[in-house]
Each structure stands twice: as C-alpha cells, then as structure tokens.
Amino acid sequence: MRLLVLGTGTMAKSQVASFLAIDGVEVVGAVDTDRIRLNEFADHFNIEKRFSTLDEAIAWGEFDAATNVTPDRVHHATSLALIAAGKHVFCEKPLAENYAHALEMTEAAEAAGVINMVNLTYRNVAPLQRAREMVLSGELGTIKHVEASYLQSWLVSRAWGDWRTESRWLWRLSTGHGSNGVLGDVGIHILDFAAYGAATDIDHVFARLKTFNKAPGGQIGEYRLDANDSFTMSVDFANGALGVIHASRWATGHLNELKLRIYGEKGSLEVIHRPNGSDLRGCLGDDIESATWREIQVPPVLTNYQRFAEAVATGKQDDPTFRHAANLQKVIDLAIVSEKERREFNLLAPDTPESTVGQELESKGGDQGPTLALVV
C-alpha cells in the first residue's frame, strides 16, 4: 500500500510510526499547509513527496490510500476529495463535525467502493476485544448494567503540554475552531468502547454537558473557550441493560484512562486502559459468591492500522467503517440537543429513513423526541 499522510501534527507521527511497522506499507507523500511543520515531519520519516495542498497531491496521484489526520472540521471536505479521486481513506475520529456531513462521507465512500475506516483507536485494546467475545459467547449471561468512563487531566496538568499557550490544545476548547468539546473529541471513543465491549446497541440517551470557566472572559486570544469540558450520559441499551457513560478533561490524576464495567446475571467484567497498558478482570462462576475478581490473560489483536492495510490489499472492507462512525455521530448530535432541551431521545428505530435525520435533530415537538437508527 502506497500511503499519503494528510496533516502532519502529533497524531500523524503516531500513525505513521504504526503504518511503517507493517510489511508492504510505504508512506510516499505528506500534505500540510504549514510548510515548516511539513518539512520537519517529512524529514523525520524520510518522505520525499511534500505538498502544501491536497489538490496538488491528488493531481500527482501516485498513492493508493490516505490517512486523514487533519482537524475535525477538515475531515469532511478532504475525505470527499480523496474519495472522488478513488482513494481508500483511513480517517481520524470523529468522522465529521455532525451527522449530516458524516452520512455524506459514508454514502460517497460506499458508492465509490473504496475502503473506508475510522481510527477508533481503542479498538486496538486487546482486553476490549476479549470482553466482547465473552459477552457474545454468553459467559456473563444477560447484561444488566454498564458503566463507562473516559478520564483525562490535561486541563489541570501540563503532562501533554500547556493548553493555555498551545494552539494544538486550544482549538479543542473552542466551538468556533471546529470542536464539539470532550463529547465530540473523546465521546465517540467511550461510546464505541461501551457499546462494542458490551455487544449491544444504545437505545435511549439523556445527556448533560458542562463548560467550566478557564480564563478571564472565557477567551484566550482568538479562541473563545466555549466547548464542553465534561459530560454525563444516561443510556438504555437495546437488550434492556441500563448504562452510565461519562467523560471529563478535569479528571485530576488520570492522564488518559478508559474504563468499562459490564455486569451480567452470570458474571462481570472490567476493562481498564491507560497509557502504560490495559487489563481485563472478571468475577465469574464460584467467585461471584465471594466477590473475587481475577486477572484474565488476553492474546494480542491486530491494530486498526494493520486491518486497514489488509483491507486495502485484499479489497475486503473491515471495521470500524465510516457508517459505524456516522451512527455514533448521531448519538453525539442528539446528546447536544438533549442538553439544550433537557429531555431523553430514542435512538433505536431501524425503519427511520436516514435522509430525515437532519430534520429530526431540529424537531422541537413530541414527548418522545426524534427517532434515529443506531447500529453498533
């Protein structure tokens, strides 16, 4: 696979390092509007072809696929351009700023027949994959309750850099710069973590969002700091389980931690992922009586990067797809409406025409709220 890198920021470095470790993958070009950053990046990875615009790269055309590592608001237009050029696309999450754009990207990719995947990076967590297998095999029985959290501390810690002075963090705090806050940034991760791990669909959602004051006047330079910092979400799952999902950037002491607890009638599982590793614990069988939890050993799994490279090589689509990420975007969009209107939304309605979603998001009437399809 000849790969083009679109955007050369921090995440691009991590992605390219992962792609270059895969046999048969060659990074042949890089694109960035910041020429200094582009050259530093390309020099570091020995990339010869360098472009200031995507149009230049597409005109050159000597690549099979692209990884789109641009800011969230740029995903839509750039991915559509790549799809129109017949290129396979691996896009950073979230797929788009809203469901309408995400759906347009999905339909374009499916119509073009190109491989399309979204980098929901925590699918790479082997304990999550094993937990899902155990749920699907019936080892936990019927799932009754699910807890999921995504905790970060970069608003109280400088471990990853100083958000007060660095644009790479400030834009994530500003809706005017394309951010939907912690809900849009990592909410898609924890929603996927919860529903994928518990192997069931989200049915209803009620959300609360909070933006805390972070600077005098709520602004630093050109950045108005109005994006949400924390959210809580009460959800029902399609199998009848109740769930609580939350995330915050104010979680002092947690650099980057995802946690999932799945409680079933025959046992429970806990998945924890931190920067230094991942763990799976279970309380099963006779251990239920003594509430004893034991570590469960998990074999490694293929990464999103490996599966994308394989999909391009074989022509066989793999997960997570654009459509899956678009459906998660529905949840995020309706969570924002839920906060504004202080009411619950029903998300599971397979017969609902997806073309009407935009209208439904704007709906103000009815006790039950708009009905949307969510497939996970």
Side-chain angles (χ1 to χ4, degrees), residues 11-70:
M11 190 60 204
K13 295 176 182 176
S14 175
Q15 277 206 23
V16 168
S18 296
F19 274 120
L20 287 176
I22 302 171
D23 288 342
V25 174
E26 180 184 4
V27 179
V28 296
V31 184
D32 202 303
T33 56
D34 185 325
R35 196 71 190 186
I36 294 175
R37 183 170 61 195
L38 171 64
N39 285 332
E40 289 176 350
F41 180 89
D43 287 346
H44 179 77
F45 289 106
N46 297 315
I47 301 171
E48 180 182 355
K49 293 293 183 179
R50 307 168 187 195
F51 306 95
S52 297
T53 69
L54 178 57
D55 287 343
E56 294 173 9
I58 289 175
W60 170 62
E62 298 298 316
F63 60 99
D64 306 304
T67 179
N68 191 339
V69 208
T70 57

